[in-house]
Amino acid sequence: MAETREEETVSAEASGFSDLSDSEFLEFLDLEDAQESNALVNMPGPSSESLGKDDKPISLQNWKRGLDILSPMERFHLKYLYVTDLATQNWCELQTAYGKELPGFLAPEKAAVLDTGASIHLARELELHDLVTVPVTTKEDAWAIKFLNILLMIPALQSEGHIREFPVFGEVEGVLLVGVIDELHYTAKGELELAELKTRRRPMLPLEAQKKKDCFQVSLYKYIFDAMVQGKVTPASLIHHTKLCPEKPLGPSVLRHARKGGFSVKSLGDLMELVFLSLTLSDLPVIDILKIEYIHQETATVLGTEIVAFEEKEVRAKVQHYMAYWMGHREPQGVDVEEAWKCQTCAYADICEWRKGSGVLSSTLGPQAKKAK
């Protein structure tokens, strides 16, 4: 059983994982149309009088006001981050900051790219199992569905050697990270391989900057998954960050599906205990191979594959640097001058203080860096 979305009463924030496949969030950032950059530069973007979350016009000065008080985690009311949040930072950190503060600027054509990519992911998932929609009304129910999926996927991986859409979560540098691994399977040599699918609107491989972001994303998946199977992720940490109530009884729909899966549970805490025992006692290995597969959306033709070398020291260093922004220890940074071409397709180019200042952030845009404790 795999669950793809909850009822409208539960948001993606409440569920703990986004409705869309984690691997498709960032495709729209890619500069597939680099040859058409001159035309794209002239496309209109958000003005200095953009619409806020309440649909009322806000000026940049009003937006900047008060940013020196709270960290981004506090200001955006975030209990955790997605793996793709950090992958976006790897592309452009300031774009990530604008995206959180001024959402809603995704162009229709870019949204269509995401929809197509998500459809391809769904088709691949249906090759392995049917999807079951489970109505939920609380965040505990939504997380319970994720735990049920994990409990069913672990034995499936061990017996059939192949699963898709595996949820991962873990504390990294004091912040909870969550995501969804596209595919896990055993090779003919018995190695556990992570395969990440990236869809391409045009029949060409991405630029190196895009590949760099993708490589960092799958490296984070391995980092978190390995910690899960090694017993380094704890229920206490998950409860601390998500504010879940483990004693809260599960809803009737969730209980019914739990019984169908052979699990006799009453609360989220019961499921959590089973999940963490299963992760550490099922002899799941760490991930041996990281592979990224690029395919053309229209023809499903494989354009190429990348085998990623996992460098734990480098991954940890990047995570520490990126988390310093989320914790409010430093201001967000834009791209280097050598990568200013990324701005050509950015929805926030017209209001970007970093771009206007030629690589210097306005002192009023970012929060005053908090002293690291």
Side-chain angles (χ1 to χ4, degrees):
M1 175 184 68
E3 170 270 348
T4 53
R5 66 190 60 172
E6 293 82 25
E7 284 188 338
E8 293 181 357
T9 52
V10 177
S11 67
E13 283 285 316
S15 69
F17 299 86
S18 175
D19 291 335
L20 286 176
S21 174
D22 198 44
S23 60
E24 282 301 310
F25 287 177
L26 299 174
E27 182 63 22
F28 68 91
L29 294 177
D30 192 10
L31 278 179
E32 295 178 331
D33 301 324
Q35 303 94 325
E36 303 170 18
S37 59
N38 291 334
L40 292 170
V41 167
N42 296 323
M43 292 176 64
S47 67
S48 60
E49 287 292 326
S50 304
L51 292 180
K53 295 180 180 179
D54 56 358
D55 292 330
K56 295 179 179 179
I58 59 172
S59 68
L60 286 180
Q61 291 301 320
N62 288 337
W63 170 46
K64 298 170 188 175
R65 197 169 294 145
L67 297 190
D68 59 342
I69 299 175
L70 302 173
S71 72
M73 291 294 291
E74 296 167 330
R75 190 163 70 252
F76 304 135
H77 307 289
L78 302 175
K79 295 183 177 68
Y80 43 80
L81 296 173
Y82 296 108
V83 167
T84 44
D85 286 325
L86 270 66
T88 310
Q89 282 179 274
N90 193 264
W91 177 267
C92 175
E93 186 170 72
L94 202 54
Q95 186 182 70
T96 304
Y98 278 120
K100 292 293 184 183
E101 191 69 45
L102 300 171
F105 288 117
L106 184 61
E109 62 270 20
K110 302 301 183 182
V113 171
L114 288 179
D115 289 341
T116 303
S119 298
I120 293 174
H121 275 78
L122 178 60
R124 285 206 170 186
E125 187 177 2
L126 288 171
E127 293 175 359
L128 295 184
H129 51 238
D130 295 329
L131 300 182
V132 178
T133 301
V134 182
V136 300
T137 55
T138 67
K139 62 181 180 180
E140 285 77 15
D141 282 358
W143 275 84
I145 294 300
K146 310 302 178 183
F147 291 149
L148 284 172
N149 280 340
I150 291 175
L151 287 171
L152 292 170
M153 287 184 181
I154 290 176
L157 177 61
Q158 298 296 65
S159 62
E160 302 171 17
H162 197 183
I163 58 173
R164 289 198 174 108
E165 303 297 317
F166 187 84
V168 292
F169 52 86
E171 182 179 303
V172 182
E173 298 299 321
V175 177
L176 183 67
L177 275 182
V178 302
V180 181
I181 293 175
D182 267 0
E183 181 179 322
L184 289 170
H185 62 257
Y186 287 104
T187 67
K189 295 181 179 180
E191 298 170 303
L192 184 58
E193 180 176 275
L194 180 154
E196 176 74 9
L197 171 67
K198 295 294 184 184
T199 59
R200 307 286 302 165
R201 187 159 55 90
R202 291 184 176 234
M204 63 181 67
L205 287 172
L207 301 176
E208 286 303 313
Q210 175 80 22
K211 290 182 180 179
K212 181 180 177 182
K213 174 184 64 59
D214 297 340
C215 290
F216 179 60
Q217 181 179 342
V218 297
S219 294
L220 276 179
Y221 287 147
K222 170 177 165 58
Y223 189 83
I224 299 172
F225 178 88
D226 290 358
M228 290 172 69
V229 301
Q230 292 173 338
K232 297 178 181 179
V233 181
T234 66
S237 173
L238 183 61
I239 293 170
H240 168 73
H241 289 287
T242 60
K243 310 304 179 186
L244 292 166
C245 298
E247 301 84 8
K248 191 168 186 176
L250 297 173
S253 297
V254 177
L255 289 175
R256 184 164 53 253
H257 283 276
R259 286 194 296 270
K260 287 182 179 179
F263 305 108
S264 179
V265 295
K266 294 182 179 179
S267 67
L268 181 67
D270 295 338
L271 269 180
M272 291 180 69
E273 183 177 355
L274 290 176
V275 166
F276 284 94
L277 283 174
S278 182
L279 284 169
T280 55
L281 300 180
S282 60
D283 294 326
L284 277 177
V286 298
I287 294 172
D288 299 303
I289 304 172
L290 297 174
K291 183 177 74 174
I292 303 172
E293 182 181 30
Y294 295 98
I295 70 169
H296 184 214
Q297 285 187 356
E298 184 177 347
T299 64
T301 303
V302 176
L303 303 174
T305 59
E306 292 281 332
I307 300 299
V308 180
F310 179 73
E311 301 290 346
E312 182 174 351
K313 185 176 181 180
E314 181 180 343
V315 171
R316 287 184 62 90
K318 285 185 177 181
V319 170
Q320 289 171 355
H321 176 69
Y322 295 148
M323 288 303 186
Y325 159 69
W326 293 106
M327 301 302 288
H329 300 321
R330 63 173 179 80
E331 298 176 346
Q333 299 173 351
V335 298
D336 294 333
V337 174
E338 294 79 6
E339 295 189 334
W341 49 266
K342 293 179 179 179
C343 304
Q344 294 169 358
T345 56
C346 179
Y348 309 101
D350 289 350
I351 62 172
C352 181
E353 296 283 352
W354 187 273
R355 187 167 179 258
K356 291 178 180 179
S358 299
V360 179
L361 184 66
S362 168
S363 60
T364 57
L365 178 61
Q368 296 296 319
K370 296 182 178 181
K371 293 182 179 180
K373 297 181 180 178

